[in-house]
Amino acid sequence: MAKNDPYAALRYKEFNIFLIVRFAMVFAWSMQFVVIEWEVYSITKDPLSLGIIGLMEVIPAVSLALFAGHVVDQKEKRGLLLKCILGFSVISFGLFLLTWPKIIGEWPTDIVLYCIYFLVFLGGFVRAFLGPTIFSLFSLIVPKKVYPNAATWSSSVWQMGAVLGPALAGFSINWIGVHWSMCLIFGFSLIAFVNLLQIPKKPILNPKIGENVFKSLREGVRFVFSTKVILGAITLDMIAVLFGGAVALLPVFAQDILHVGSQGFGVLRAAPAVGALITMFTSAYFPLNKSAGMKLLGAIFGFGVCIIVFGLSTWFWVSVLALFLSGVFDGISMIIRQTILQLRTPDHMRGRVASVNSMFVGSSNELGAFESGLTARLMGTVSAVVFGGTMTLITVVTTGIVSPAFRKLDLRKDIEEHEKEE
């Protein structure tokens, strides 16, 4: 393997299959969330209802996160991921039936709304296990020496799904309606399931099989909080996502502020992911490992500025550009954070560390959606977005001042050590 080979991870067949599975699931999940956002806001015309969608998913996801990490570290990863995908497929099929025009026409609106919330709530249970399982399976497919390159490609595929899922959601709502859009989502979950069957079962690397669950959870939490680099990266990103969750209010901007309809909504929803995707493909050729701490701080600061610009804009293409650039900065943040987690986490603790990460960062997307919906109700949509961007800037500046060690973080030494181990 060439030292700076940008395609190093892609030379492993199982990793390519893994990327297909991850793309299909991210595509399906992100498209489903957007379609449901559109349907719920069309029913209620209340921005708080968008926040409730996020809250319904995040409650079970956070409640089960630590326990899920323990289970992931104790179980075979491929089989567990198959069960997660199957659970998502059942939920998607339920939403497909629930959005059937006959049911929408005959059932009371409140009943339809509550059923949607219930299925989203069940999705939160699946999500609690899905993230840690994917994170753990990743490390069993490629050698440690290509972790940084593999993390870049894995994040790129994640963003590709996040680009195409929301974009197609906006267009498919206009072309075939919400009901058949949900059918398409169900189909992609089946694609993920079939492809994952091509990856053989993997060994369980945890030497403490059968360990007491509470002792296991304490060990995982203690590791994260004692490893300041991991804790700093997770916390910084959590606060930025929590207060920079303008994306949750895009249906309001598309319908009531920018007046661009479902197609414009698809463009707005895809813009940040397009920016992140471009960043990630570029980073395969220009790694971000040098001065990673300063790059992470700078990226999240830039993200906050873009959110403020988006909130103040009344011009569609200015809004699109602001969201696109927010995605560029978010892509930098995601790559650096994932590389830190992969390099600094022991193999036998990956499930628990990923679960703590999902509690902080993954769930902050939904908490951010709820925060945005609530503040939009209290202070207005534009003010809520500007407030969130401002809080992001304050967080970055504060972190940079109080944590000089984080500013000096450089990942090149970690990579060299893993190469020697191989």
Side-chain angles (χ1 to χ4, degrees), residues 100-108:
W100 191 12
K102 185 176 181 179
I103 290 180
I104 295 294
E106 295 181 359
W107 287 21

Side-chain angles (χ1 to χ4, degrees), residues 374-414:
L374 181 61
T375 53
R377 167 74 76 84
L378 296 175
M379 63 177 68
T381 302
V382 172
S383 297
V385 173
V386 173
F387 168 77
T390 303
M391 291 300 296
T392 301
L393 299 185
I394 293 173
T395 300
V396 173
V397 173
T398 302
T399 302
I401 293 174
V402 303
S403 181
F406 194 84
R407 295 199 307 268
K408 299 175 182 178
L409 175 65
D410 194 305
L411 297 175
R412 289 176 296 178
K413 184 177 180 181
D414 296 79

Side-chain angles (χ1 to χ4, degrees), residues 50-66:
L50 301 177
I52 293 175
I53 295 174
L55 192 63
M56 287 297 100
E57 186 169 303
V58 79
I59 288 174
V62 170
S63 300
L64 277 179
L66 290 177

